[in-house]
Amino acid sequence: MERLRARLVAVRYLLATAWPIVLITAIGLVVAYQFVEPEPPRKMTISTGSEAGAYYAFATRYAPLLAAKGITLEILTSAGSIENLERLDKGEADIAFVQGGIVPPADDPESTHLRSLGSVSYEPVWLFYRGEQKISKLYQLAGRRIAVGQEGSGIRGLALQLLAANEIASDNPKLLPMGGLEAAEALQQGEIDAVFVVAAQEAPVVQVLLRSPDLQVASLSQADAYLRLFPFLSKIVLPQGVVNLVRDVPPQDTVLLATTANIVVRDDLHPALAGLLLQAMSEVNGKSGFFQHAGEFPAYKDQSLLLSDDARRYYKSGPPFLQRYLPFWLAVLVERLFVMILPLVMLSLPLLKFAPALYSWRVRSRIFRCYGDLKFLENELRKNYQPNRHAEYVDRLERIEEDASQRNIPLAYTDLLYTLREHINLVREKLMRFDTSHAKDKDKDKSA
């Protein structure tokens, strides 16, 4: 029973020492939790374009890569980049494909809630036309019937910008709201004279028009000038014979303008999902193609929108360290726990180092109180001993000894109690000497 009581005393002192450390650590954890990212959702929505377009094709290739990581990618078709931006703005989509040059540069880029994850491919600006006359400058299209894309499409916005730079007004009645395979069929049948197409070379509409013997692709001799006027554009070359070597299509190198296909997200997209999407973009769009080198995409080429912080880190350092070696969900869990564990370790190490000293101080402080009373009594005896108060001195000394004997302290510090008792006995002996000396002095006075 005595052993159990002694252990409980030690536990009580331990708990009394530990609670400030636990409290400080708990406060640190509560503060750290404010900086922990919530668990990423398991579903994202991406707005693409028509099912026949490259945007939709890219999204269908992203989906299985994300599904392998436990993320469902819901694909929404749309009329084009304008509708995609509207969906992002309304919160109807988390991610969207946006054609370069569609978003006008903002005076304060920080004010918008949209961010770019980068470009994933070049989008050639194809100008297919009928007729014998070679077209190498866009002003040569004046007076012709031109399909410039459906209302709300990225094709239309870019085509009208290029034509306006060549003094062809956007309200010209011969600029027709047609696009895709419908415009291609109208051009083949001679119902229109030219069509603008902004699409990758694999797009069905491009392949159909490239293989139509009565149609030609405009090679723009003023391409470098357009790059100065429209910084979001690039200059690319379609090599001679690359479409069909036997038929020599195209018959000469063809200079084209190109915009970029960009991935735009809302700024509240979870960082872990942004990193996962960037990895899918690298795998799908990082290969070489007609107009791009291996590893050229994804890249931050169209700077109409700010690059997201997650994309900036990805382009600088690659995928997050843990995601390179751990399954996605485990990596995310460890990253979230790390934010909690780091302050816990930073707080606990110095506190635990200080804990033994604090524990010892708490135990010793109970003994030191008795030493304080003992010291006051000893000083009083030495400086101002009064024989008539002898009984009071003895009573005070006995109370100090009684108090010391009732102190419950851990067994490891019992030696302090025995040392205190020795010191009490020393003061008691001194008190007895004072009393004896006083009695002798009193006897001498009587005999005298």
Side-chain angles (χ1 to χ4, degrees):
M1 189 66 180
E2 290 297 326
R3 290 178 179 270
L4 178 60
R5 184 178 296 118
R7 290 179 180 176
L8 291 177
V9 169
V11 170
R12 187 184 72 184
Y13 275 96
L14 182 62
L15 293 177
T17 303
W19 77 261
I21 297 175
V22 172
L23 178 62
I24 294 173
T25 303
I27 293 173
L29 289 175
V30 170
V31 174
Y33 186 75
Q34 309 306 313
F35 299 93
V36 176
E37 290 285 350
E39 184 179 359
R42 295 178 176 269
K43 179 181 176 182
M44 295 188 292
T45 302
I46 185 168
S47 186
T48 59
S50 69
E51 292 187 2
Y55 295 168
Y56 185 85
F58 288 151
T60 57
R61 295 171 67 187
Y62 297 158
L65 297 176
L66 296 174
K69 304 292 186 178
I71 304 297
T72 300
L73 183 66
E74 181 182 356
I75 303 173
L76 302 178
T77 58
S78 72
S81 297
I82 302 299
E83 185 177 358
N84 291 346
L85 286 171
E86 291 175 352
R87 284 177 173 171
L88 283 178
D89 192 54
K90 295 177 181 177
E92 297 174 358
D94 306 303
I95 314 157
F97 281 96
V98 176
Q99 180 184 299
I102 293 299
V103 180
D107 295 333
D108 181 14
E110 295 282 356
S111 63
T112 176
H113 62 279
L114 301 181
R115 294 291 182 269
S116 172
L117 291 188
S119 307
V120 294
S121 69
Y122 287 120
E123 288 199 299
V125 182
W126 307 88
L127 175 59
F128 293 96
Y129 64 95
R130 299 180 63 87
E132 298 296 329
Q133 180 186 359
K134 292 289 185 182
I135 293 179
S136 61
K137 299 178 180 63
L138 294 185
Y139 64 77
Q140 294 175 285
L141 295 172
R144 301 197 184 197
R145 298 165 298 173
I146 309 167
V148 293
Q150 298 286 352
E151 294 285 349
S153 66
I155 301 171
R156 183 179 181 84
L158 179 57
L160 293 180
Q161 286 186 71
L162 297 177
L163 292 173
N166 288 271
E167 300 181 358
I168 299 176
S170 59
D171 59 355
N172 190 315
K174 292 191 176 182
L175 302 185
L176 308 174
M178 300 172 60
L181 293 174
E182 177 191 3
E185 184 178 353
L187 182 62
Q188 288 174 325
Q189 295 179 0
E191 297 173 3
I192 58 177
D193 303 307
V195 59
F196 278 96
V197 177
V198 179
Q201 68 282 351
E202 300 93 348
V205 63
V206 174
Q207 290 298 312
V208 167
L209 293 173
L210 282 174
R211 287 170 169 76
S212 297
D214 298 331
L215 304 181
Q216 301 183 61
V217 181
S219 180
L220 301 180
S221 60
Q222 297 175 318
D224 291 325
Y226 287 102
L227 304 189
R228 302 297 187 272
L229 295 172
F230 304 99
F232 58 86
L233 292 176
S234 301
K235 176 183 174 181
I236 57 176
V237 176
L238 184 68
Q240 178 181 352
V242 73
V243 176
N244 190 306
L245 291 171
V246 176
R247 294 173 53 200
D248 196 26
V249 178
Q252 66 277 324
D253 287 352
T254 303
V255 178
L256 304 175
L257 295 175
T259 182
T260 50
N262 305 295
I263 298 287
V264 178
V265 299
R266 295 174 57 87
D267 58 4
D268 57 0
L269 182 68
H270 196 286
L273 296 184
L276 203 59
L277 181 58
L278 282 160
Q279 294 178 55
M281 291 159 57
S282 295
E283 185 165 342
V284 171
N285 304 108
K287 301 177 176 63
S288 60
F290 258 42
F291 304 110
Q292 67 194 56
H293 304 293
E296 186 174 354
F297 291 101
Y300 185 41
K301 291 185 177 291
D302 183 352
Q303 302 183 10
S304 303
L305 289 171
L306 287 178
L307 185 67
S308 79
D309 294 336
D310 304 302
R312 184 175 289 105
R313 285 190 292 269
Y314 181 85
Y315 291 138
K316 182 178 180 180
S317 308
F321 176 77
L322 292 176
Q323 291 188 28
R324 300 177 194 175
Y325 306 103
L326 297 176
F328 174 70
W329 288 105
L330 180 58
V332 171
L333 177 62
V334 172
E335 288 172 357
R336 297 178 71 230
L337 290 177
F338 181 76
V339 178
M340 298 288 291
I341 292 172
L342 182 61
L344 178 63
V345 173
M346 297 297 290
L347 285 172
S348 298
L349 287 180
L351 289 175
L352 291 176
K353 185 177 181 180
F354 177 69
L358 179 60
Y359 180 82
S360 177
W361 175 83
R362 292 189 65 89
V363 176
R364 291 175 182 275
S365 65
R366 298 182 64 84
I367 302 298
F368 292 159
R369 293 172 191 171
C370 296
Y371 269 110
D373 294 338
L374 187 63
K375 182 64 177 176
F376 291 143
L377 176 59
E378 184 183 17
N379 288 340
E380 189 172 348
L381 293 176
R382 181 165 51 83
K383 295 180 180 180
N384 189 27
Y385 176 73
Q386 299 178 24
N388 59 339
R389 296 177 58 191
H390 179 79
E392 178 188 341
Y393 297 145
V394 172
D395 183 61
R396 287 171 60 183
L397 195 61
E398 287 178 352
R399 284 202 307 269
I400 294 173
E401 187 173 22
E402 180 68 18
D403 188 23
S405 64
Q406 292 180 357
R407 297 282 178 179
N408 289 323
I409 62 173
L411 291 176
Y413 293 87
T414 307
D415 60 315
L416 296 177
L417 278 178
Y418 287 103
T419 303
L420 174 60
R421 288 175 178 175
E422 289 178 2
H423 293 159
I424 291 173
N425 287 331
L426 289 176
V427 175
R428 181 178 286 115
E429 290 174 4
K430 183 177 290 188
L431 177 60
M432 293 175 62
R433 286 198 302 271
F434 277 124
D435 185 58
T436 302
S437 176
H438 176 71
K440 288 180 179 180
D441 289 343
K442 191 174 181 180
D443 291 341
K444 286 181 181 180
D445 292 339
K446 288 182 179 180
S447 58

